[in-house]
Amino acid sequence: MKVLLVEDELKLGEYVKKGLSEAGFIVDHQLTGLDGYHAMMTEEFSVILMDVMLPDVSGFELVRNYRADGKHTPVLFLTAKDDLDDKIKGIEIGGDDYLTKPFAFAELIVRIKSLLRRANQADYQSTILQIADLKMDIAKRTVHRGGKPIKLTAKEFSLLQFLLERRGEVLPRTVIASQVWDVNFDNDTNVIDVAIRRLRIKIDDGHEAKLIHTVRGMGYRLEALATEVQSDADGDDSK
């Protein structure tokens, strides 16, 4: 799940981004209202965290315009002002929740999950992802293959979740980098290849049917092939 954080306080923004990333979210942190608004209008997010008092334009104004354009992504306002009139105003213009600074990070997580439930978003409700005998429970943060538990790091979990959500698709390295690492790696880097290799060891080693496949010159694909023999397109990225 991808979160847009529009927050001009750099230290607070980095703290929130780090915490959400560790919780399994991909976070796009924007420091100004205009940059945040551009992201809101051009990208898809599961939830938006919007500071009210931004240096260039009010968060209220951004959300008012966002809703006027027919956008429905849940918005949680963040503000230092604990004022009832402001809370009412934020809800009236299209906000879904309101959290006053300073706040406990645990409360922020609860609020975000609540927004996702209320919005009936598929990426929250579909907590079980499965292909062949591989099963991931997003809510419980568990992975099993053939009924046996597999221990993954937070990044490996996010990578596998992305592959499962896009199973059957050929995913270029640049797409994996932008969606799982939220960065644009240079073409000559092997970060993605190394990560895939480590995940493949945990997921496929010891199993006759392989699920993670390399498509030469294009990227990777998660798929349960009908035959036990991989096509010529699949290769060994240990080379």
Side-chain angles (χ1 to χ4, degrees), residues 110-121 124-125:
V110 170
R111 297 288 188 100
I112 290 174
K113 290 183 176 180
S114 177
L115 287 178
L116 294 172
R117 284 196 299 270
R118 284 157 48 189
N120 196 29
Q121 294 209 1
Y124 179 83
Q125 290 199 337

Side-chain angles (χ1 to χ4, degrees), residues 30-209:
Q30 299 294 338
L31 292 167
T32 69
L34 292 179
D35 287 341
Y37 190 68
H38 176 74
M40 291 163 65
M41 299 302 293
T42 58
E43 300 180 45
E44 294 294 328
F45 296 94
S46 299
V47 67
I48 296 171
L49 308 181
M50 176 65 68
D51 185 20
V52 173
M53 301 177 66
L54 294 165
D56 51 348
V57 60
S58 168
F60 285 155
E61 187 66 24
L62 293 179
V63 174
R64 180 185 289 111
N65 293 336
Y66 183 67
R67 294 296 189 227
D69 198 63
K71 307 292 187 180
H72 302 290
T73 301
V75 175
L76 170 61
F77 282 117
L78 305 175
T79 180
K81 297 177 64 176
D82 186 13
D83 185 273
L84 180 59
D85 289 339
D86 270 1
K87 292 181 180 180
I88 294 174
K89 179 180 179 181
I91 299 301
E92 286 181 340
I93 66 172
D96 298 277
D97 203 353
Y98 201 100
L99 189 57
T100 304
K101 305 174 187 176
F103 51 81
F105 185 76
E107 182 179 4
L108 176 63
I109 290 290
V110 170
R111 297 288 188 100
I112 290 174
K113 290 183 176 180
S114 177
L115 287 178
L116 294 172
R117 284 196 299 270
R118 284 157 48 189
N120 196 29
Q121 294 209 1
D123 57 1
Y124 179 83
Q125 290 199 337
S126 299
T127 60
I128 304 297
L129 297 175
Q130 188 166 0
I131 184 172
D133 59 347
L134 176 66
K135 181 178 180 181
M136 168 181 282
D137 189 320
I138 299 174
K140 295 181 180 179
R141 307 288 291 179
T142 59
V143 174
H144 292 77
R145 182 159 190 196
K148 296 182 179 180
I150 299 173
K151 292 184 178 181
L152 300 178
T153 66
K155 189 57 67 178
E156 288 169 347
F157 190 95
S158 296
L159 175 57
L160 180 60
Q161 180 179 341
F162 180 61
L163 293 174
L164 280 164
E165 289 172 344
R166 304 282 291 271
R167 53 190 174 275
E169 298 181 36
V170 177
L171 301 171
R173 291 167 176 79
T174 53
V175 171
I176 296 174
S178 65
Q179 294 299 311
V180 179
W181 276 263
D182 197 25
V183 296
N184 295 315
F185 289 132
D186 294 333
N187 291 332
D188 60 352
T189 185
N190 67 342
V191 171
I192 304 302
D193 296 331
V194 170
I196 289 287
R197 186 181 305 128
R198 290 175 177 171
L199 182 62
R200 179 178 278 158
I201 290 172
K202 295 184 178 182
I203 297 300
D204 281 341
D205 274 15
H207 296 273
E208 186 175 0

